[in-house]
Amino acid sequence: MPSGKGNGEPFTDGQVREISRACTTASSESGLHYSVYVGPVEGEIRDHAERLHAALGPLASRGVLLLVAPGDRQLEVVTGKESSRRLSDRACALAALSMTTSFSGGDLVGGIVTGLRMLSEASGRELASGRSSR
Amino acid sequence: MTRRIITLVVGAVAPILVAAGPALALDDGEVPGKSLGTGLVIAIYVLIPLGAFLVIAFFSALPSALRRPRYRPGRAWKHDPLWFCGPDDPVSALSSARPGATGKGGASAEW
């Protein structure tokens, strides 16, 4: 759900729909709650990202927050208590690397959508391997 | 003798004159036509080229005018924040949120 209007929308309506769809698809496929924030960083990026993650409220435990700061060229992925068990930091770093590759080529939407898909697949894989090992 | 000379001269000059006949006639382009008039001259030599220029300029500028300004790494980002799949009321949700409360892991990257 995009919030904030004015000052020139960075994305077309189609692009907004594409990111929203990628977000809800990733959430429904993996059982985790994915959320993407695109905007400037206030202070330390990790602190800001963790604040945004905490703002997810009851969903924060299984929440995965992606903070994309195009102006600062920084990206932060935050996982919660439950989601960090399903998504290792390594899987997050791999998705982040793939996203920043797209971002550096000027493709914000493509990078976000790819990152969400990679995170969703990684969490599903780890869930499957967790189940089979039990 | 005199008759022979006249025959010789006529025989030599006559074919040349006959062949030069069309060359002596007036060409079509040498006949000045009707004047176009100032209005028509301006229309043909100023307004039509100007119109063609404007039409081509319009169509060449159309695609980039319809497209959003593309994100270019390194340029300032002057847009309002967008939060996809975020809380219903971001402002009140953020007011009570503090860093470190829920975040356990993740990753960071730069480009």
Side-chain angles (χ1 to χ4, degrees):
Chain A
M1 166 207 37
S3 64
K5 289 261 171 195
N7 207 7
E9 290 293 306
F11 303 122
T12 61
D13 291 345
Q15 289 175 323
V16 167
R17 272 198 301 276
E18 197 180 342
I19 298 175
S20 296
R21 203 184 309 125
C23 214
T24 47
T25 307
S27 300
S28 62
E29 278 179 358
S30 63
L32 300 177
H33 180 77
Y34 287 92
S35 184
V36 181
Y37 182 93
V38 184
V41 176
E42 293 155 17
E44 269 305 301
I45 185 165
R46 183 70 196 179
D47 288 350
H48 188 200
E50 287 188 355
R51 266 190 73 210
L52 294 169
H53 187 267
L56 295 175
L59 293 169
S61 172
R62 59 187 184 91
V64 180
L65 185 113
L66 281 77
L67 193 165
V68 182
D72 306 285
R73 291 209 261 175
Q74 285 184 310
L75 167 72
E76 192 74 34
V77 183
V78 182
T79 51
K81 196 170 168 225
E82 196 191 323
S83 51
S84 65
R85 282 204 296 266
R86 299 260 309 274
L87 262 179
S88 65
D89 288 358
R90 221 174 115 251
C92 293
L94 195 63
L97 183 71
S98 169
M99 291 172 81
T100 52
T101 306
S102 291
F103 295 161
S104 59
D107 186 10
L108 275 184
V109 179
I112 291 170
V113 170
T114 309
L116 284 170
R117 197 174 301 144
M118 283 181 75
L119 288 170
S120 162
E121 282 174 10
S123 61
R125 244 196 334 270
E126 286 177 28
L127 180 71
S129 64
R131 270 184 190 151
S132 62
S133 67
R134 257 176 234 153
Chain B
M1 183 66 184
T2 319
R3 241 183 110 176
R4 248 181 106 180
I5 290 172
I6 290 169
T7 314
L8 198 69
V9 169
V10 169
V13 175
I16 295 172
L17 286 176
V18 168
L24 295 172
L26 281 177
D27 281 340
D28 282 348
E30 287 173 17
V31 183
K34 237 183 347 176
S35 171
L36 282 176
T38 320
L40 212 53
V41 166
I42 289 176
I44 290 172
Y45 293 105
V46 179
L47 296 184
I48 290 175
L50 207 65
F53 171 79
L54 289 177
V55 167
I56 293 166
F58 172 76
F59 280 108
S60 63
L62 195 64
S64 59
L66 292 178
R67 211 180 302 130
R68 287 291 149 125
R70 193 166 173 274
Y71 166 66
R72 295 190 194 283
R75 293 262 182 93
W77 183 258
K78 287 178 184 142
H79 302 287
D80 290 339
L82 279 172
W83 201 344
F84 299 91
C85 306
D88 292 331
D89 188 0
V91 178
S92 69
L94 274 174
S95 64
S96 57
R98 56 190 176 78
T102 55
K104 296 291 172 209
S108 50
E110 290 180 17
W111 69 90

